[in-house]
């Protein structure tokens, strides 16, 4: 329901994986970003296995730049795998496990609190797989996996106080069966069935606490906690492949039925928002909150999500140097509380061409339509919040919100879905070149253009209107529609180089220059600065990075010693700058200021208060995400030594992350009413060192 990986397999159980980004075949869908395919290992006729242990603690690490002490950072991680025959040549088993115990530290840095908060993490992750070969043409595999990560005291740090933390538990149990049948020397069929029981359970220390949001601190509890989101999924997938001459045909379907029966405490008991960090004084109206929001009604929900997809594709080898990949996909979604369009046909076209026919040059590209499955936030708003009474009070009292403001005459607000709602879709075009310029030396260049359309965003159709600051229908509060009217645009150029030195090692590098803008991040439930002009939210995406460089290399030395390293550097990500108050009185504190004459966007001028002018009683003209945070730089190194004793292989390792202890600052505070405006109040991890050993046979 959240369109992400529900569970992770233990690392040693992965035989190979594939990351598909911008131009994948019609058999893959339900996503407009990346698709990750993982193939797990199977047992063989020979008994093999491996065990490992990794250790790190604060004695080997550097201190975080903002930490109050060199707090206890430690991790113990062990696991391994074992595979072999049950019946030789017929039945085989494979099992893998990884156990993790870790404590990290978050640094709380705000006017209410400055301390280090330990964040324990535990996980028991394991997988068991059995394969059986009935005959030369039929093979069956069954797999069971479990993933139980528990993260405590998450969400604390920076402006968030320690009491604002959450305990985040994820449980996932997956049962998968796969039957592969060779029907002839040209035909193959793969049938897969999955049953999974997954869920998220988030708890807080004080479930009945109010949420208190100030310019420089967040305390109480998060506004949408506690919550539990269980998921039961039944899935059946069938793919049929057939080769005919120069054509490799493939047809298939994917059916998923998902139910979620959980609870969510949204704005319960309520959220106070202040526009000052000064302590509350009942005799000083400037210290009172500016808004209060509360949801009344049931806290339980039940959603049903049914997805059906079908595809047909052809890998057509026109000649020895030219191949076309043609396909079309159909996706249909049915989600509780929505009325979704069903005419979701997604054509795909790709090609690969060797213009000189010598295997040294490849020109590739294509175009595709990619529909994105509807995520959890949509039914939450349209079928859960829509049944609740949402109360919004401007200028409330404190601690009793009804003692001031609109007490006694509070209009009720609600949410609605869009009728015949289009599915979010991305149109992607790519073109690229790869060339071997010297033996074992290749370079590549690719261009990607992706246009997102029908993105789902929240727009108030009963907006507050100046100069009276009343709503067109004064008997109602906000009436927020979930509309498929958002859009995004992304383009990027990727450059790569790779050099191999035979058995001695390799070096590689990648550079990306990109730009991404959008009216709204992917269905994240945020509101407009001004609902009358929602497209003024069109700005850089939260993760936009103009430049990104990754360098990697490995070198094999005598005596079984190997050295490897990865350097990653990027420019800063956007910072949204706000006034810190509700200028246009619509009940949402996300208004942006006006840009002062001569101030340049995306520069250090955005950290200067003089670059902005308060817009008064309207929304400002500053674009969303107009600031830029600090750049990032990290170098990781690894040294290992292999010792071979007959059939036993022992490898000892030393790994260092952020080896030069570079201080990578978090994005600076963009709230103009905060005393920390323009300042970074936290930093990423300092140097960490890990020791490890692996033993295989």
């Amino acid at each position: 329901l959240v369109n992400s990986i529900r569970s992770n397999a233990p690392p040693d159980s992965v035989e190979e994986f594939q990351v598909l980004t911008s131009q994948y075949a019609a058999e893959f869908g339900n996503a407009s970003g990346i698709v990750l395919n993982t193939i797990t290992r199977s047992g063989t006729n020979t008994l093999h296995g491996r065990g490992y242990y990794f250790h790190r603690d604060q004695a080997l690490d550097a201190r975080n730049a903002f930490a109050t002490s060199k707090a206890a950072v430690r991790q113990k991680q062990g696991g391994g795998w074992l595979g072999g025959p049950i019946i030789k040549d017929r039945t085989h088993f494979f099992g893998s496990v990884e156990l993790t115990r870790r404590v990290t530290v978050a640094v709380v840095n705000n006017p209410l609190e400055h301390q280090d908060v330990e964040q324990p993490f535990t996980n028991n992750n394991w997988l068991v797989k059995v394969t059986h070969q009935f005959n030369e043409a039929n093979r069956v595999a069954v797999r069971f996996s479990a993933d139980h990560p528990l993260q405590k005291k998450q969400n604390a740090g920076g402006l968030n106080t320690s009491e604002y933390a959450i305990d985040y538990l994820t449980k996932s149990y997956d049962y998968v069966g796969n039957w592969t049948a060779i029907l002839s020397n040209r035909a193959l069929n793969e049938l897969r069935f999955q049953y999974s029981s997954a869920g998220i359970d988030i708890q807080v220390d004080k479930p009945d606490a109010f949420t208190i949001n100030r310019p420089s601190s967040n305390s109480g509890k998060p506004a949408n906690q506690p919550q539990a989101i269980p998921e039961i999924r039944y899935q059946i997938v069938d793919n049929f492949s057939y080769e005919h001459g120069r054509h490799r045909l493939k047809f298939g379907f994917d059916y998923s039925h998902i139910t979620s029966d959980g609870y969510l405490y949204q704005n319960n008991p309520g959220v106070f928002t202040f526009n000052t960090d000064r302590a509350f004084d009942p005799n000083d109206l400037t210290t009172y909150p500016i808004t209060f929001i509360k949801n009344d009604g049931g806290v339980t929900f039940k959603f049903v999500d049914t997805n059906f997809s079908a595809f047909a594709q052809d890998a057509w080898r026109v000649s020895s140097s030219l191949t076309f990949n043609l396909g079309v996909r159909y996706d249909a979604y049915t989600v509780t509380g929505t009325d979704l369009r069903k005419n979701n046909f997604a054509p795909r076209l790709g090609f690969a061409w060797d213009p000189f026919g010598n295997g040294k040059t490849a020109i590739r590209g294509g175009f595709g339509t990619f529909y994105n499955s509807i995520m959890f936030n949509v039914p939450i708003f349209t079928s859960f919040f829509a049944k609740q009474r949402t109360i919004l009070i401007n200028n409330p009292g404190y601690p009793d919100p009804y003692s001031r403001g609109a007490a006694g005459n509070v209009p009720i607000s609600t949410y609605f879905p869009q009728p015949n709602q289009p599915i979010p879709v991305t149109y992607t075009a790519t073109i690229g070149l790869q060339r071997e310029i010297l033996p074992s030396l290749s370079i590549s260049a690719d261009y990607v253009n992706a246009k997102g359309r029908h993105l789902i965003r929240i727009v108030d159709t009963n907006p507050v209107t100046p100069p009276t600051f009343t709503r067109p229908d004064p008997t109602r509060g906000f009436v927020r529609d979930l509309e498929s009217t958002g859009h995004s645009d992304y383009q990027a150029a990727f450059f790569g180089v790779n050099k191999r030195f035979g058995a001695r090692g390799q070096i590689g590098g990648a550079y990306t220059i990109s730009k991404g803008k959008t009216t709204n991040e992917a269905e994240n439930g945020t509101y407009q600065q001004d609902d009358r002009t929602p497209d003024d939210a069109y700005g850089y995406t939260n993760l936009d990075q103009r430049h990104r460089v990754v360098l990697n290399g490995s070198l094999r030395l005598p005596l079984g010693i190997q050295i490897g390293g990865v350097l990653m550097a990027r420019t800063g990500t956007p910072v949204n700058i706000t006034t810190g108050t509700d200028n246009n009185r619509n009940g949402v504190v996300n208004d942006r200021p006006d840009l002062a004459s001569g101030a340049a966007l995306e520069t250090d001028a955005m950290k200067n208060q003089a670059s902005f002018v308060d817009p008064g009683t309207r929304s400002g003209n500053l674009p969303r995400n107009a600031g830029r945070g600090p750049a990032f730089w990290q170098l990781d190194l690894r040294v290992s030594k292999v010792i071979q004793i007959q059939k036993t292989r022992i490898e000892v390792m030393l790994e260092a992350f952020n080896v030069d202890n570079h201080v990578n600052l978090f994005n600076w505070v963009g709230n103009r009413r905060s005393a920390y405006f323009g300042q970074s109040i936290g930093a990423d991890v300092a140097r960490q060192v890990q020791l490890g050993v692996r033993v295989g046979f």
Side-chain angles (χ1 to χ4, degrees):
L1 286 177
V2 294
N3 217 22
S4 63
I5 297 174
R6 296 192 313 279
S7 63
N8 293 289
D12 270 356
S13 68
V14 177
E15 183 173 15
E16 60 181 88
F17 67 92
Q18 179 186 35
V19 179
L20 306 174
T21 53
S22 56
Q23 202 61 258
Y24 35 88
E27 63 182 294
F28 303 108
N30 296 323
S32 56
I34 69 166
V35 171
L36 176 63
N37 282 328
T38 302
I39 299 176
T40 55
R41 291 184 177 183
S42 300
T44 65
N45 279 335
T46 304
L47 185 67
H48 289 288
R50 184 168 67 185
Y52 61 87
Y53 175 73
F54 292 95
H55 178 87
R56 69 175 72 167
D57 60 46
Q58 68 272 21
L60 303 173
D61 298 339
R63 175 175 169 176
N64 186 282
F66 288 84
T68 58
S69 64
K70 192 175 180 181
V73 177
R74 54 193 180 274
Q75 175 175 290
K76 298 178 181 180
Q77 190 173 53
W81 63 270
L82 183 68
I86 298 175
I87 302 175
K88 189 176 181 180
D89 296 329
R90 297 291 294 265
T91 309
H92 304 88
F93 78 93
F94 177 86
S96 181
V97 64
E98 181 174 78
L99 308 177
T100 304
R101 304 292 182 266
R102 179 171 65 237
V103 176
T104 55
V105 173
V107 181
V108 178
N109 188 9
N110 60 58
L112 303 179
E113 190 177 356
H114 188 192
Q115 66 164 316
D116 301 333
V117 178
E118 289 192 351
Q119 299 176 309
F121 171 87
T122 63
N123 190 21
N124 301 322
N125 187 200
W126 52 282
L127 176 146
V128 176
K129 183 178 182 181
V130 176
T131 58
H132 180 71
Q133 192 81 34
F134 285 98
N135 50 46
E136 292 183 354
N138 292 274
R139 181 177 184 267
V140 171
V142 293
R143 170 170 57 85
F144 171 70
S145 60
D147 194 19
H148 293 171
L150 171 60
Q151 307 170 71
K152 292 191 172 183
K153 299 299 180 182
Q154 297 299 300
N155 207 45
L159 300 183
N160 296 341
T161 61
S162 57
E163 70 174 1
Y164 203 76
I166 61 175
D167 291 345
Y168 195 108
L169 172 64
T170 303
K171 285 187 177 182
S172 178
Y173 302 94
D174 299 316
Y175 305 81
V176 180
N178 188 84
W179 175 24
T180 303
I182 301 174
L183 305 179
S184 71
N185 60 354
R186 294 183 176 183
L188 172 72
N189 194 79
E190 300 170 279
L191 176 65
R192 184 171 70 251
F193 174 79
Q194 176 183 205
Y195 167 80
S196 68
S197 172
I200 297 171
D201 188 358
I202 306 176
Q203 300 298 323
V204 294
D205 289 341
K206 299 177 180 179
D208 297 326
F210 286 97
T211 302
I212 309 296
N213 296 329
R214 291 182 178 273
S216 302
S217 66
N218 300 306
S219 58
K221 66 162 188 173
N224 60 344
Q225 308 298 344
Q227 61 176 266
I229 309 172
E231 175 187 303
I232 300 295
R233 175 188 295 259
Y234 296 90
Q235 182 182 28
I236 183 169
V237 179
D238 188 80
N239 293 323
F240 174 75
S241 303
Y242 185 79
E243 292 196 18
H244 178 69
R246 294 180 178 270
H247 299 269
R248 180 175 296 175
L249 305 171
K250 194 169 186 178
F251 311 89
F253 72 87
D254 183 341
Y255 173 81
S256 290
H257 181 79
I258 308 164
T259 59
S260 183
D261 191 348
Y263 65 85
L264 169 62
Y265 284 76
Q266 177 74 18
N267 301 331
N268 188 333
V271 180
F272 287 102
T273 300
F274 294 78
N275 66 0
T276 179
D277 290 322
R278 289 184 294 134
F280 174 70
D281 180 352
N283 298 314
D284 184 353
L285 293 180
T286 64
T287 66
Y288 275 73
I290 57 174
T291 65
F292 174 80
I293 189 168
K294 172 183 174 60
N295 284 26
D296 281 338
V299 298
T300 62
F301 60 81
K302 183 173 183 178
F303 302 144
V304 178
D305 185 348
T306 302
N307 302 336
F308 174 79
S309 302
F311 75 91
Q313 65 187 43
D314 179 13
W316 175 24
R317 189 178 181 185
V318 180
S319 67
S320 60
S321 60
L322 177 63
T323 299
F324 282 106
N325 290 284
L326 310 170
V328 63
R329 182 182 179 88
Y330 173 74
D331 295 295
Y333 305 96
T334 303
V335 182
T336 299
T338 62
D339 174 22
L340 303 174
R341 289 186 186 175
K342 298 297 190 291
N343 59 336
N344 309 313
F345 290 94
R348 311 279 173 86
L349 168 64
F351 72 90
W353 178 39
D354 180 357
F356 306 110
N358 57 10
K360 293 186 177 182
T361 304
I363 298 175
R364 64 224 171 183
F367 171 83
T369 300
F370 304 88
Y371 286 97
N372 204 73
S373 58
I374 300 300
M375 291 191 279
F376 179 75
N377 273 342
V378 174
I380 274 289
F381 282 104
T382 59
S383 66
F384 178 60
F385 294 160
K387 297 177 182 178
Q388 297 186 340
R389 300 171 68 250
T390 303
I391 300 169
L392 173 63
I393 303 176
N394 287 309
N395 300 317
Y398 187 79
D400 177 9
Y402 298 96
S403 63
R404 185 171 171 261
N409 186 26
V410 180
I412 304 303
S413 302
T414 191
Y415 298 84
F416 287 98
Q418 176 181 340
N420 193 29
Q421 186 161 29
I423 305 297
V425 62
T426 299
Y427 304 102
T428 302
T430 65
I431 187 70
L433 169 70
Q434 186 170 0
R435 170 72 180 176
E436 181 185 16
I437 56 176
L438 292 172
S440 302
L441 174 62
S442 64
I443 59 173
S444 64
D446 293 90
Y447 172 77
V448 174
N449 188 297
K451 296 185 179 300
R453 297 298 182 261
H454 302 310
L455 306 185
I456 299 177
R457 61 182 176 180
I458 300 173
V459 178
D460 189 352
T461 59
N462 191 37
V464 171
T465 304
T468 60
F469 300 105
T470 58
R471 299 183 183 274
D473 182 354
T475 66
R476 309 176 73 180
F478 62 72
V479 181
R480 290 172 176 161
D481 284 4
L482 270 77
E483 302 178 352
S484 293
T485 56
H487 59 276
S488 67
D489 297 283
Y490 172 82
Q491 57 180 332
F494 308 97
F495 303 92
V497 60
N498 190 70
K499 170 65 177 175
R500 296 188 177 276
F501 301 95
R504 291 177 298 167
Q506 62 85 33
I507 58 173
Y511 166 68
T512 302
I513 179 171
S514 64
K515 181 173 72 171
K517 285 190 170 184
T518 184
T519 56
N520 56 293
E521 309 299 323
E523 299 166 23
N524 59 1
T526 57
Y527 306 115
Q528 309 302 318
Q529 174 187 233
D530 189 337
D531 292 278
R532 298 172 303 161
T533 55
D535 282 350
D536 70 4
Y538 186 75
Y540 291 110
T541 67
N542 290 348
L543 299 178
D544 180 69
Q545 299 170 23
R546 190 68 64 251
H547 305 280
R548 184 182 181 93
V549 176
V550 178
L551 303 175
N552 68 85
S554 63
L555 178 64
R556 294 179 178 88
L557 301 175
L559 304 177
I561 297 174
Q562 181 171 328
I563 300 174
V566 176
L567 171 66
M568 197 277 279
R570 62 163 173 79
T571 52
T573 55
V575 176
N576 194 38
I577 300 167
T578 64
T579 64
T581 192
D582 184 14
N583 294 77
N584 60 8
R585 304 182 191 177
N586 67 350
V588 183
V589 186
N590 64 349
D591 301 75
R592 299 186 293 274
D594 283 339
L595 182 67
S597 177
L601 301 175
E602 300 181 72
T603 68
D604 281 347
M606 295 295 96
K607 297 191 285 185
N608 187 343
Q609 292 277 18
S611 297
F612 311 102
V613 178
D614 193 281
T617 57
R618 59 171 175 82
S619 304
N621 60 22
L622 184 73
R624 185 175 65 88
N625 282 342
R628 283 284 162 171
F632 182 95
W633 164 290
Q634 181 165 314
L635 174 63
D636 301 334
L637 293 177
R638 182 176 187 267
V639 180
S640 66
K641 161 72 175 173
V642 174
I643 304 169
Q644 191 76 37
I645 304 176
Q646 296 182 347
K647 295 184 178 181
T648 301
R649 187 177 189 271
I650 303 172
E651 183 179 16
V652 292
M653 294 158 283
L654 183 148
E655 299 173 331
F657 309 96
N658 191 11
V659 65
D660 60 340
N661 199 31
H662 181 74
V663 177
N664 290 301
L665 297 173
F666 290 154
N667 276 1
W668 40 271
V669 177
N671 187 325
R672 293 190 65 217
R673 287 185 173 261
S674 171
Y676 300 124
F677 176 78
Q679 303 176 42
S680 297
I681 60 171
D684 212 329
V685 294
R687 180 179 58 247
Q688 295 184 337
V689 179
Q690 177 171 274
L691 304 176
V693 60
R694 276 201 294 243
V695 180
F697 65 92

